[in-house]
Amino acid sequence: GAIGLLSDGGVMQTQLHINGEFRTSTSGACYVVTNPATGLTVTTIADANTEDVNDAIVGAADAFNSTDWRNITNPARGDYLFAIAEELLSRREEIARIESLCSGKPISDCDQEVAYAARIFRYYAGAASHLAGSTLPVDATGLDFTLREPYGVCALIVPWNAPLVTAAQKVAPALAAGNTAVLKPAPATPLTALILAEITVSVGLPPGVLNVITGSTRELGRDLVRHSRVDKISFTGSTETALDIRRNTAHRVVATTLELGGKSPNLIFADADLDRALEAAVWAVYWNAGQDCCARSRILIERAIFDDVVERLAVRASSLRVGDPLDEQTEIGSLISRGQRDRVLGFLERDRKSVV
């Protein structure tokens, strides 16, 4: 079926959102979304193909050229974004629970991320009114001015480690500037993107301004970025996928923003407030079970305090509450998948062998 049912009787949307309508994939294919903490099925969801991608991009292109979106004022776009923020907050508990079910993140973290996503939409709701061109001084015989204009259709690809927040960080500025968008969530965490689509419908966003396509394969992303009517790409994820995007778009030199992984160090000096520094250091690496592109996974410690810091870090880390992501007391939930778990266990096993 097209609608998924939660264990508490709630209903979730599992169809593609294209040109203002929810619909099944053209092939009728679906794939299973699994709760990584339990291994149980959350729902089955539409599995888009090349034809669906094309429909979504054409819908976005038509919406961009439509007077319903192109000719409205920037403050009016801001009103839409503000309304989206309010709807996110009104559905905060529901959205947090669904995010936790799909991602394995502690529900307390998911709750805070819904609030953060709403703040992002509020920020760009205000920013929309301040988008303007500029004039630059030239010699007395000339006039120089610069206009800020939207790109057009934006392909927005988000990862599974912060699905709603990352979607908000891409969708809100794109719409504030007058673009239209096709949003592709990660296969494991598609449901909050579809909730965002539901919200855009409820606030009256014109059809086609925001489209959401879900799918289980990497080919879906390739179809999206290779399309000739995509004018801007924003991707957050792995360096490997980013290189693939570059290879598939080099011939068009399409405007592209890539936010990739990193292993930034944390620095702790002897004159630091160690209580604050150690608490920050623990969460800098263990937030979301370490699944964060800006996790500080290395710590460089001044020699004079090295032993003390290592001992205190070990004590604090061992006190973190690991458990059911839906338990409000849980601080560390599950990794996103069995494959990711096995990969991490492999790191640990290699470390043990290297010590021996």
Side-chain angles (χ1 to χ4, degrees), residues 69-82 128 175-178:
W69 185 244
R70 193 172 183 83
N71 291 347
I72 69 172
T73 64
N74 285 356
R77 293 194 183 98
D79 290 341
Y80 281 119
L81 300 184
F82 186 81
L175 269 53

Side-chain angles (χ1 to χ4, degrees), residues 104-161:
K105 300 175 72 165
I107 194 165
S108 57
D109 287 356
C110 294
D111 177 75
Q112 291 301 313
E113 289 182 22
V114 179
Y116 183 29
R119 288 200 301 273
I120 292 168
F121 275 98
R122 281 179 170 170
Y123 176 87
Y124 285 103
S129 296
H130 301 282
L131 297 174
S134 59
T135 58
L136 300 174
V138 292
D139 61 44
T141 61
L143 172 67
D144 182 278
F145 63 92
T146 301
L147 299 177
R148 297 183 183 276
E149 296 184 340
Y151 285 102
V153 177
C154 299
L156 311 177
I157 304 175
V158 303
W160 44 259
N161 61 346

Side-chain angles (χ1 to χ4, degrees), residues 32-351:
V32 174
V33 176
T34 303
N35 181 339
T38 65
L40 299 177
T41 295
V42 177
T43 189
T44 57
I45 194 162
D47 199 351
N49 59 22
T50 302
E51 186 175 346
D52 298 315
V53 172
N54 182 70
D55 289 347
I57 293 172
V58 170
D62 289 345
F64 179 70
N65 293 317
S66 168
T67 56
D68 289 342
W69 185 244
R70 193 172 183 83
N71 291 347
I72 69 172
T73 64
N74 285 356
R77 293 194 183 98
D79 290 341
Y80 281 119
L81 300 184
F82 186 81
I84 291 170
E86 295 303 293
E87 284 296 306
L88 285 169
L89 293 176
S90 73
R91 299 177 63 176
R92 182 172 176 173
E93 183 177 349
E94 168 204 359
I95 296 171
R97 183 170 183 273
I98 288 175
E99 194 80 290
S100 181
L101 285 172
C102 293
S103 67
K105 300 175 72 165
I107 194 165
S108 57
D109 287 356
C110 294
D111 177 75
Q112 291 301 313
E113 289 182 22
V114 179
Y116 183 29
R119 288 200 301 273
I120 292 168
F121 275 98
R122 281 179 170 170
Y123 176 87
Y124 285 103
S129 296
H130 301 282
L131 297 174
S134 59
T135 58
L136 300 174
V138 292
D139 61 44
T141 61
L143 172 67
D144 182 278
F145 63 92
T146 301
L147 299 177
R148 297 183 183 276
E149 296 184 340
Y151 285 102
V153 177
C154 299
L156 311 177
I157 304 175
V158 303
W160 44 259
N161 61 346
L164 182 61
V165 167
T166 311
Q169 290 171 332
K170 296 181 187 300
V171 171
L175 269 53
N179 299 286
T180 58
V182 178
L183 173 64
K184 192 195 87 63
T189 54
L191 293 178
T192 49
L194 292 173
I195 290 176
L196 183 58
E198 288 180 340
I199 288 173
T200 63
V201 172
S202 71
V203 303
L205 198 70
V209 172
L210 178 65
N211 305 268
V212 177
I213 54 171
T214 58
S216 61
T217 68
R218 291 172 62 94
E219 194 60 35
L220 189 66
R222 292 191 180 104
D223 288 339
L224 182 58
V225 301
R226 285 191 294 220
H227 201 286
S228 62
R229 298 187 72 177
V230 166
D231 304 294
K232 164 73 179 180
I233 298 167
S234 179
F235 168 80
T236 300
S238 71
T239 302
E240 177 187 359
T241 303
L243 291 172
D244 192 53
I245 289 173
R246 281 299 199 194
R247 283 190 289 267
N248 281 286
T249 59
H251 65 288
R252 292 202 300 123
V253 200
V254 63
T256 304
T257 301
L258 304 173
E259 181 190 6
L260 312 178
K263 292 294 179 184
S264 304
N266 198 348
L267 308 179
I268 303 180
F269 294 98
D271 61 350
D273 179 336
L274 287 187
D275 288 337
R276 293 179 61 191
L278 289 171
E279 188 67 13
V282 165
W283 288 113
V285 67
Y286 289 121
W287 176 82
N288 195 24
Q291 301 170 122
D292 181 15
C293 61
C294 56
R296 266 75 78 203
S297 52
R298 295 176 292 137
I299 305 179
L300 306 180
I301 307 167
E302 191 168 352
R303 188 178 302 277
I305 58 169
F306 181 84
D307 291 339
D308 183 33
V309 168
V310 170
E311 181 180 354
R312 291 173 63 177
L313 276 173
V315 170
R316 179 65 183 95
S318 66
S319 72
L320 294 172
R321 291 175 177 264
V322 181
D324 179 0
L326 293 178
D327 185 339
E328 294 282 355
Q329 301 304 311
T330 294
E331 295 176 298
I332 304 293
S334 73
L335 296 174
I336 189 63
S337 66
R338 181 176 298 176
Q340 189 76 353
R341 179 203 64 187
D342 293 344
R343 183 167 178 251
V344 172
L345 290 175
F347 294 154
L348 297 174
E349 184 61 27
R350 286 195 293 275
D351 281 346

